[in-house]
Amino acid sequence: MKTNVRTILAFAFVLSLLSMVGCDNTDSNGALSRANVNFKAYYEGNPLVMNQTYDYNGIDIQFSKVRFFVSEISLIQAGAETEIEDVEMIDITSSNTNETAAIAGFNMGSRTVPAGVYDGVKIGLGVTSDNNSLLPAEFSSTHPLGDESDYWPVWNSYIFSKLEGRYDADGDGMFEGSLVYHIGTDGLYQMKMFEDLSLRMDENQSLDFEFHIDIKDIFRENGSFINIETDGFTHTDPSNPEQMELSTLVATNWKSALSFNE
Amino acid sequence: MRKKYFAFLLIPFSLLACKEDPPEVQGDLIDIPYTPVDFVPEIPASFPMLEVPPDNPLTVEGVELGRRLFYDPILSADGSLSCSSCHKPEFGFSDPFPTSIGVDGVAGTRSSMSLLNVGFFYNGLAWDGIHPSLEAQASEPVVNPVELHENWDNVVEKLRLHPDYPERFRKAFGIEDSSEISEELATKAIAQFERTIISGGNSRYDKALRGEIFFTDAEANGYDMFFDISPDMPDAECGHCHTGPLLSVNDYFNNGLDEALDLNDFPDLGRGAVTGSIFDNGKFRAPTLRNIALTAPYMHDGRFQTLEEVIDHYDSGGHYADNLDPLIYNIGLTEDQKADLLAFLLTFTDTTYLQNEALLSPFE
């Protein structure tokens, strides 16, 4: 009788283990899949081409630089996170040089992930405080954090995003107005979650991950858009309340402007 | 029968005829020891890491050979000029003339760039970034008609026949015969030396950042404007292109030197001629500001003789082009503020590198 009880208990134990494995949608055998991560930039729904003229509420505008850091890109399954990238620079300036290239977007490359079914994606806009406490000189020139031009020593911070361009306010064909939004400092790091997804990552297969960002949405303000003639400039100077207010708006808009295309 | 023997004899001859002449490797250097010693450069604490190509590690022997080649007019057609002719140590390894004069007395179109800390730069070298590496860059002035105007075959021949260089190439690169001296090895040696041209850590700027001294009021005001530290002072926008320990970034900008109503109108296309992108026309590399007081005249064509002129240019907002950098605009500094900015720029001066004899000519 004792033996039978032990056998039943052992059987139940094995069954419970199997059921636990069954609840976990990641492959426990170490099977791997790949995520091809891509960022596409738009302006009012059209692929954003650098130095091309767009309409900004009646003003011609051209963008010459769009680049931003992303951090902690993770896949989520039942609350558990699998990080696929610590930090990367998304340089739309270099990728969106013409219409064809803009449609293709910025290819961040492929990342290996455990096979399984994921229900969410997490992405940080900017640089985590841990990384932000470091200096470009501590990295190689090929590392995303190794470029001095992306660091502002006065803030002791990386510049999380750069949006630069010129606009023609008086319509004379000369783009004499300057647009410069440089956003940084720990407080403006933005984390975005995309939930209720169903991302099936099969073994030895790859899945395209597309993040979209519409640059026009970065300018939203109280149901309208930022007046770039009066608020076209911020370096996120912490001692300047007006700049901080604008930078905070741009940073939160940047988060809102980002979407995930399943 | 005799015909058969004749044909048989012809075969080895024909084989020899088809074969190229064997290189004249006689091993004339093989008795010279090849025991290269790693060269460890002294790099200021705040500087980035020095990235060295795996196929050209720094060695004591390679750096010394490079130094000699750098200062030796043997690289020029008439033996009158060397690399150092346009990159003089006392001028921050640049040239005090707007554009340098070559061996034929012809001036080039661009100002000689400072070589201080050049080993730390990437994303293309020279004003337009045309050279992917120091090794590649070192090759070009030798054959440039407005520079040394020689050809590498001649240079290599001169080096092979030289009483001293074959032994130095042996010690630096382990060649076994003088015939193995090549353009590749010569440029590698020059690049090794150039990576050791390091300056930093002893300027007033460095000392102030380390808290060892205080800026004067004028310098502090200039620092404020340079990096936009407080809203009480104007933002001179300098720190975007001249930042970090090298006071530079590895990028290219149109800083408003020339008006171009059409982007093809620039007198010098600069970066655009390299990338082929019209939007890069008129853009040039942001140079280091370390020792900027020593490297006059300024800009890619040496058009400004003084730093005062440079400050006036940036304050004015420069000239219009569709790709004018948005950080270039009319700032409106007062004369006092310009003077303060100049005072700050002078804190970048650090001539201690001139006391390092390993950077100076071995022939003087």
Side-chain angles (χ1 to χ4, degrees):
Chain A
M1 186 63 182
K2 266 188 174 179
T3 305
N4 284 342
V5 170
R6 281 180 182 164
T7 304
I8 290 166
L9 283 173
F11 187 66
F13 181 66
V14 170
L15 265 182
S16 66
L17 278 179
L18 287 174
S19 65
M20 285 172 72
V21 169
C23 288
D24 185 354
N25 285 333
T26 57
D27 194 309
S28 59
N29 297 324
L32 297 175
S33 183
R34 296 192 74 77
N36 302 323
V37 186
N38 182 276
F39 287 79
K40 296 191 192 305
Y42 298 89
Y43 187 86
E44 292 185 325
N46 300 308
L48 177 77
V49 179
M50 304 310 299
N51 302 297
Q52 182 170 294
T53 302
Y54 294 95
D55 173 63
Y56 183 82
N57 309 318
I59 296 176
D60 282 349
I61 191 168
Q62 297 177 343
F63 297 96
S64 54
K65 188 171 287 182
V66 179
R67 52 191 274 130
F68 55 101
F69 282 105
V70 292
S71 296
E72 302 179 288
I73 302 179
S74 303
L75 299 180
I76 300 168
Q77 186 198 68
E81 296 180 5
T82 302
E83 184 171 292
I84 63 172
E85 183 57 66
D86 174 37
V87 62
E88 191 60 83
M89 165 55 71
I90 309 303
D91 187 9
I92 301 298
T93 318
S94 65
S95 62
N96 289 31
T97 53
N98 57 54
E99 188 80 21
T100 305
I103 292 169
F106 181 91
N107 182 18
M108 200 185 89
S110 188
R111 302 292 186 273
T112 301
V113 297
V117 179
Y118 296 89
D119 54 36
V121 173
K122 188 180 91 169
I123 182 170
L125 288 167
V127 176
T128 62
S129 59
D130 282 350
N131 280 332
N132 207 24
S133 65
L134 304 172
L135 295 168
E138 297 176 60
F139 298 92
S140 74
S141 62
T142 54
H143 192 280
L145 297 173
D147 191 338
E148 291 286 354
S149 70
D150 292 320
Y151 192 84
W152 195 245
V154 178
W155 306 336
N156 295 315
S157 169
Y158 280 89
I159 302 171
F160 295 171
S161 64
K162 285 185 180 179
L163 179 61
E164 296 181 10
R166 302 190 70 85
Y167 58 88
D168 176 14
D170 57 12
D172 67 352
M174 311 262 279
F175 289 75
E176 291 163 320
S178 289
L179 174 77
V180 178
Y181 290 163
H182 288 185
I183 312 300
T185 69
D186 285 344
L188 296 184
Y189 182 67
Q190 306 288 319
M191 180 60 72
K192 183 143 187 176
M193 299 277 287
F194 299 98
E195 298 171 310
D196 301 324
L197 306 175
S198 180
L199 304 170
R200 185 179 182 85
M201 308 287 296
D202 291 330
E203 183 177 5
N204 296 327
Q205 300 295 309
S206 61
L207 189 66
D208 293 336
F209 279 48
E210 268 190 21
F211 293 95
H212 292 189
I213 186 160
D214 197 310
I215 299 302
K216 182 72 180 288
D217 290 336
I218 291 172
F219 295 90
R220 291 192 181 278
E221 183 179 32
N222 298 328
S224 183
F225 291 92
I226 294 171
N227 181 345
I228 55 174
E229 292 183 71
T230 56
D231 290 319
F233 232 88
T234 178
H235 294 163
T236 316
D237 177 358
S239 66
N240 186 327
E242 290 179 1
Q243 283 203 11
M244 286 308 295
E245 186 180 349
L246 178 57
S247 291
T248 302
L249 175 65
V250 171
T252 52
N253 280 351
W254 207 293
K255 175 182 174 182
S256 301
L258 187 74
S259 60
F260 181 76
N261 190 33
E262 191 175 350
Chain B
M1 185 67 180
R2 291 179 69 180
K3 279 183 182 175
K4 281 182 182 172
Y5 278 127
F6 184 66
F8 185 71
L9 284 171
L10 271 180
I11 291 171
F13 281 111
S14 64
L15 283 171
L16 282 176
C18 291
K19 197 174 177 183
E20 290 181 5
D21 291 340
E24 297 174 13
V25 178
Q26 298 168 357
D28 63 348
L29 305 173
I30 205 160
D31 292 334
I32 299 170
Y34 170 55
T35 53
V37 177
D38 289 346
F39 184 96
V40 182
E42 286 186 27
I43 299 174
S46 63
F47 273 33
M49 61 187 78
L50 184 67
E51 296 178 15
V52 176
D55 67 344
N56 192 24
L58 299 186
T59 64
V60 171
E61 295 80 5
V63 169
E64 177 57 18
L65 171 59
R67 177 167 77 123
R68 287 172 178 273
L69 292 173
F70 183 88
Y71 284 101
D72 196 335
I74 195 172
L75 298 187
S76 64
D78 62 0
S80 64
L81 297 179
S82 67
C83 306
S84 66
S85 302
C86 304
H87 297 283
K88 298 180 175 69
E90 62 271 33
F91 297 107
F93 283 89
S94 69
D95 193 334
F97 301 107
T99 57
S100 302
I101 311 294
V103 294
D104 300 328
V106 180
T109 57
R110 302 237 180 103
S111 177
S112 168
M113 286 194 92
S114 168
L115 295 183
L116 292 174
N117 303 316
V118 70
F120 297 95
F121 295 128
Y122 57 91
N123 192 29
L125 301 173
W127 286 106
D128 56 7
I130 195 170
H131 304 297
S133 67
L134 278 174
E135 285 79 1
Q137 190 282 329
S139 174
E140 193 268 344
V142 170
V143 298
N144 192 322
V146 296
E147 296 186 52
L148 304 182
H149 204 183
E150 178 58 291
N151 69 69
W152 272 104
D153 286 343
N154 285 347
V155 170
V156 166
E157 190 62 16
K158 285 187 277 186
L159 294 174
R160 286 173 180 168
L161 298 175
H162 194 274
D164 182 45
Y165 279 117
E167 178 176 344
R168 291 188 178 277
F169 273 92
R170 162 70 179 172
K171 289 180 173 176
F173 296 110
I175 61 173
E176 296 182 350
D177 191 277
S178 303
S179 64
E180 294 175 72
I181 292 175
S182 65
E183 172 187 350
E184 180 188 356
L185 295 182
T187 54
K188 277 186 171 181
I190 294 170
Q192 284 193 42
F193 169 65
E194 289 176 330
R195 289 192 175 96
T196 70
I197 303 176
I198 296 171
S199 171
N202 298 300
S203 67
R204 284 184 59 75
Y205 173 68
D206 294 306
K207 290 174 181 173
L209 289 190
R210 291 196 300 262
E212 295 168 8
I213 62 166
F214 292 106
F215 284 132
T216 65
D217 288 347
E219 292 166 349
N221 286 340
Y223 178 53
D224 192 324
M225 290 183 282
F226 191 96
F227 285 116
D228 186 25
I229 291 172
S230 92
D232 300 328
M233 297 286 286
D235 180 1
E237 308 288 1
C238 314
H240 299 281
C241 304
H242 302 286
T243 187
L246 302 175
L247 293 163
S248 177
V249 295
N250 292 285
D251 206 351
Y252 304 81
F253 304 90
N254 173 6
N255 59 350
L257 290 174
D258 295 302
E259 182 175 86
L261 297 179
D262 183 296
L263 291 177
N264 287 308
D265 289 347
F266 290 102
D268 185 339
L269 295 183
R271 183 64 174 163
V274 175
T275 66
S277 169
I278 190 172
F279 300 108
D280 286 336
N281 286 355
K283 292 185 180 180
F284 296 91
R285 188 179 238 286
T288 178
L289 295 194
R290 284 200 172 271
N291 277 309
I292 192 66
L294 306 181
T295 61
Y298 304 105
M299 305 298 157
H300 68 276
D301 53 6
R303 68 177 64 189
F304 297 137
Q305 294 297 314
T306 66
L307 286 172
E308 286 87 344
E309 290 176 59
V310 173
I311 292 172
D312 281 339
H313 165 73
Y314 284 118
D315 182 54
S316 75
H319 300 284
Y320 178 79
D322 280 350
N323 67 349
L324 176 66
D325 195 278
L327 290 160
I328 304 293
Y329 59 90
N330 182 270
I331 298 169
L333 300 177
T334 66
E335 292 306 311
D336 283 347
Q337 288 166 340
K338 290 180 188 176
D340 290 349
L341 198 53
L342 176 61
F344 177 61
L345 295 180
L346 298 181
T347 69
F348 299 152
T349 304
D350 173 6
T351 56
T352 51
Y353 73 92
L354 287 170
Q355 295 162 19
N356 180 1
E357 290 191 4
L359 296 182
L360 306 180
S361 172
F363 304 117
E364 292 174 359

